Each structure stands twice: as C-alpha cells, then as structure tokens.
Amino acid sequence: MAKITSDELGQEPIGKLLIKQAVPASIGILVMSLNVLVDSIFVGNWIGSIAIAAINVVLPVSFFIAALGMAIGIGGSSIISRALGAGNREKALKTFGNQITLTLLVTVTMVALGLYYVDALIPAFGGKGSIFDPAKIYYTIILYGVPFLALCMMGNTVIRAEGKPRFAMTAMIIPSIGNLLMDYVFIYVFDWGMEGAAWATTVGYLLCFFYVLYFFLSKNSELKIDVSHFGLNRPILQEIGSLGFVTLARQAVTSITYLLMNNILFNLGGEAMVAVYAIIGRMLMFALFPVFGVTQGFLPIAGYNYGALKYERVKESIYTAIKYAALVATLVFVVLMVFPSEIASLFLSNRPELSPEEIATNNFVLEHTPLAMRLVFAATPIIAIQLIGAAYFQAIGKAVPALLLTLTRQGFFFIPLILILPSFMGEIGVWLSFCIADVLSTIVTGFFLQKEIRTELS
C-alpha cells in the first residue's frame, strides 16, 4: 500500500484516498475487535460464561478512562489535521505536546479514583451475585494498564491525522496479537483464570504503547516536538476540550448504557441474561468494524480539506464515505440475520465437567441470543448516515452539533427507550430499543447533515 503524506490528503482522488485511509483503519479495528471476540471465546471456554459477564461489567469503567485518551486524541487530531491543511505546523506541534500532557494528568487521576472506589463501582455496573468476585479481580489488574491504553488511543488518532494509516493500523494490531498470545499462556498454560485474562490484556496495552512511542521518535512522524510543546496552552486546551468532549460524552453515555443494561437485564434474567448482553456487546464491537474503519478514514480527509478550504472535496468525501459504509453495513446485516445461533455458540464452553448451573446458563444464552441479535442489528444498513454525519462535524471543528448528533442515538433515544419499553415488553423491549434508536438518530442526523451541505459546502 502506497505511503500517504499529509499533503496528499488534499490531492489524491477522494475514492482512492478514502480506501487508502479506511482499509488500514478497518483492518486495525478488525484485529482489535477479533481480539475482544476471541478473548471472550477463550474466557468463556477456559473459565466460564460467568467470567464473560464479569468482563462485561468491568468494560464501561476501564473503557471510559481509556476514552479520555481517545477524546483528547480526536479533539487534538481535528486541530492537527486542519492546521496541517492550513500550513500551520507549529500549531500542530503545540497541540500534540498538549495532548500528551493532558492525557497523562487526566488518566492517572481517574485510575487512582477508580481503584479507591472499586467496591462501589463494580456492583453499580451490574457486578452482583457470583459476578462480583471475578469482576473485581479483572478490574483491579486492568486499571493499572489503562493509562498506557489511553496514550495509545490518543497517539493512534494523531498518527492518522498525519496521514499515516498503515502505522495506525499496526498500532492496533500489535496489542491484539499480544493479548491473544498471552491469553493462551496465562489462562490455558498457567491456569491463572481471571488474573491471567487481565494480565494478558494489560500486556497488550504495554506493547501498543511502546510501538506508538517508537513511531513518534522515528523518522516516520512529521511531528517532532520538544520540551516547549508540553506546556499547557489555554486556547489549545479549550479547543481540544470542546471537540474531545464529543468523544468523551459518547463514551460516558456508553458507560451509563452498560450500567443500565446490566442492571435491567440482571433483574429480568440474572447472570445468564447479562451473559447474553455480553455476547451482543462483543458483536456490536466486532461486526461493525468496517463501518467504523470508513468513519476513521473519513475524519482526516474531511478535516484536512476543510482546513484547506477545498469544500467540494469535503462534500465528495461525505457522500463517498456514506456509500462505502452503507455497503459494508448491509453485508454485516445479512451475516448476523442468517447465523445468530452459530455466532452465540462460539462463546460457550462444551467441556464435559460443566456444572449443572453452567449448563443451565449456556442453554439460556443459546435460547435467548439469536432473537436479541436480530433485533439489535435490525437497522444496521442505515447507520452509516448517523456515524459519518456526526464524525463530519467533529472533523471540521464544530463541537456543538458534533456533540448533539453524537448523543442523539444513545443519550436522547436509547436510554429513554430502555427505561420505558422493558416495563411493557420485558426482554424484547430491551432489544427493540437498539433498532428504534438507530432509526430515529439516523433521521435526525441526515436532516442536519444535508442542511450543512446546502448552506456551508455549496
């Protein structure tokens, strides 16, 4: 794959450029998603289905802290893309230095708070009954590696803003492969159980951090910062904060969603119902990897060309990204509609020594997951409009519409739906909330995106 420099973001044909950006992003997200998927399969088969539920309880807390790094990364990377497009390299350097300082300050503080309140946080996120003990073991170990994950996620968005998608892809692949290898060693060979699963993931975070550090110290990066760039600059921090808050708010709402879902489903069906959601959650991360890849590839293209005042290229990138994302989303939709039972069975152990309780849990999961999966992914073919539309406003630095559109699906529609529908429809109401929220948020985003194109890009 040909090397891309930041200048080429404003010169290459949009279709060709989007493929160059989106394919590495998709591969990276695929490998990360496969990591989560296979990790869950290993945990389910080698430890048990309750262990999958325990990890699902921990994810919102650790992901929220890691998302602080992603928020700082995406907020700053929007500035970097537009600064490079406008030829302002010094602002790009200063922004990157501020991103590093801010990520360290914020994530270390959050980890300290997360460890202090561990016994209150785990039950609040659904870690009750037999889920609590394995969840606490996993959570405590994972949290030590989260600052490194945050730095990786921040650095990855900056690598992409430079127009280096292959390096960003590698940064996503390395920790995933490392995690899976360590899963085998720590869980299967050493029989460390939940501790092994947690240490395997933490080692993956460290490997990612060292690779990202190598990239920025090598000749491959255009952003060569010095000590002066690490000093916090208020105008840059405000811009990073306003744009990064979009990503942070999305992850905060996602964490709230996990909290509500785990508790609602636990009340409806106990640990087994939480295990069903754990599988659905893994598929939400894994199955949509090509759509997220197109979105990630679209961000630096839109940001760079908007900064360079090449509005026709920006408009073309929007339509091309939606077209590509909708195509792959439809293919994903077909697979999930046809093979839900087969997918669910991958996560469940068939060891002969299973206890009666574990057998009952597995049977429950196999019975309830297929319908849940079909309902959750029912509106998948149209979600490209919502994802690309919200990403566009973030890419060009319009924080308020980006925030509102990002929160539309989960904050404005999904959370109210899951608080209302289960009271009338039980379990089915929970799963229906997903596709209804997708449809409503897509309609809203499509309206505002088309209005923006007509008034600002024509």
Side-chain angles (χ1 to χ4, degrees), residues 71-72 75 239-250 394 403 407:
I72 295 166
E239 195 170 358
I240 290 175
S242 64
L243 294 172
F245 185 72
V246 176
T247 298
L248 186 59
R250 178 171 60 237
Q394 195 168 13
L403 174 63
L407 295 181

Side-chain angles (χ1 to χ4, degrees), residues 28 52 71 74 78 82 89 110 112 146 151 153 169 172-173 209 234 243 246 260 270 333 365 376 421:
I52 298 178
I74 291 178
S78 172
R82 286 178 282 122
R89 192 165 297 273
M110 292 298 294
V146 166
L151 287 167
M153 299 181 86
M169 173 188 71
M172 299 170 79
I173 290 174
F209 169 76
R234 179 172 293 182
L243 294 172
V246 176
L260 293 173
F333 169 79
V365 172
V376 167
L421 291 186

